[in-house]
Amino acid sequence: MNKQELIDAIRNSGGKQSALAEVDDLWPRVELLQNTGRYGALLSQLAETNDKSNFLALVLEVNFAYQFESQGSQLAYEVKQDAGKPSTVDFLRQSVTGKRVYLELRLLQQRKSITTMIDDQLLKHGIYRLLLGGDDEKREVERLQGTILAKVQDGKGRPIKFFSTEPDTLNVVVVDVSDTILGTIDVYDCLLATYGDPAVDEVYRRDLFGLFQQDKVEYPKRIHDLAAKYAHIRSRVHGVLFLFREPGSGILAYGLQQYTVWNRALVTEQIAQQVYPDLSAAIPVRCDD
């Protein structure tokens, strides 16, 4: 891939002048990955795409990989866990402690209905005002849960990722939530998505059952149904790494921060300490005010 191909890909995917202005910032990241010789499949897809959503998802993968590779932390791209299964996982990081951390990425973009509403208000008034209530926030966290779940199983609950149960293997879903809830998502929303209402103070609760939350006999049937739906993710996914763009970052070339929630049923404090310093060295921890 060369720089002109990157420019063409931005244009073909509907990129406006503000995105094209970041070519000089994005290209060195692409070039670094290209020089490793391990990202040919990623960069080929990037050069050929003409769809905005797909292009932005690939750019996320570029920025994510760049933060590891620029520090000398190598990733493998599109790795199979099980030779008998057709699916691949986006990245594999072999930690210095010998743990194999499989990382499956997803970009969660703002709901189209919200984007349309904002665009209409800007067109008519030059400004926009949009307030989300508790029910709106609940729906957004549920959408986040659905996005995470969709990386692991299909609509009928059949597993599609993370088949390995080998020792020293950790499966992590990585989701960029920068645009969720108008960019105001915080660690409480991350905890709600993974561990539900019991994980947060009452003021933040939204009547939500988390992906990693344990079922209880006294819970109502709808919760038992959700617990059954989440059974595979609780048994195979070791954690969710939530990505946030650094303040002041660009549209295409940006820095990433993270907040990780571990699945306590699978990950002890000792295991977390064997992999988390390696991950946070590449993707710094977000510190909310």
Side-chain angles (χ1 to χ4, degrees), residues 74-268:
Q74 293 186 1
L75 296 174
Y77 185 65
E78 287 195 345
V79 181
K80 277 195 173 186
Q81 272 193 340
D82 187 330
K85 302 292 184 180
S87 66
T88 60
V89 180
D90 290 329
F91 295 100
L92 168 62
R93 170 62 185 160
Q94 184 89 29
S95 74
V96 294
T97 60
K99 299 289 186 184
R100 295 183 299 277
V101 185
Y102 289 88
L103 302 148
E104 179 71 15
L105 268 65
R106 176 63 190 266
L107 171 64
L108 182 58
Q109 298 184 51
Q110 186 169 266
R111 275 190 292 139
K112 186 175 181 181
S113 59
I114 291 179
T115 302
T116 300
M117 191 181 302
I118 290 173
D119 289 344
D120 288 345
Q121 290 186 34
L122 287 173
L123 184 63
K124 293 177 182 177
H125 310 293
I127 59 172
Y128 75 89
R129 183 179 182 182
L130 188 63
L131 299 177
L132 296 182
D135 289 342
D136 295 311
E137 292 184 4
K138 177 183 178 180
R139 283 192 290 270
E140 285 297 292
V141 175
E142 288 174 334
R143 188 169 76 100
L144 172 57
Q145 289 179 316
T147 297
I148 296 167
L149 201 64
K151 297 303 294 184
V152 179
Q153 61 193 52
D154 64 18
K156 295 184 178 180
R158 295 173 298 202
I160 58 174
K161 295 280 181 183
F162 299 138
F163 298 101
S164 176
T165 57
E166 293 182 3
D168 295 326
T169 291
L170 280 81
N171 301 315
V172 178
V173 175
V174 182
V175 56
D176 184 343
V177 295
S178 303
D179 290 336
T180 310
I181 314 181
L182 295 178
T184 64
I185 190 170
D186 55 28
V187 297
Y188 300 107
D189 299 306
C190 299
L191 289 169
L192 281 172
T194 47
Y195 278 107
D197 282 3
V200 301
D201 293 335
E202 188 170 352
V203 67
Y204 301 112
R205 293 177 182 177
R206 296 287 183 263
D207 191 26
L208 285 161
F209 183 78
L211 297 170
F212 296 152
Q213 189 175 345
Q214 294 298 319
D215 196 9
K216 292 184 179 180
V217 175
E218 62 268 26
Y219 287 163
K221 183 180 183 302
R222 69 177 183 86
I223 298 299
H224 296 324
D225 291 342
L226 281 176
K229 182 179 179 181
Y230 300 162
H232 177 67
I233 197 169
R234 283 200 311 275
S235 68
R236 292 293 176 89
V237 173
H238 295 78
V240 178
L241 192 153
F242 297 91
L243 292 176
F244 302 83
R245 313 274 175 86
E246 290 181 355
S249 288
I251 301 169
L252 302 181
Y254 46 77
L256 291 165
Q257 301 172 337
Q258 55 87 11
Y259 179 75
T260 300
V261 181
W262 296 109
N263 180 354
R264 293 190 288 265
L266 301 179
V267 180
T268 63

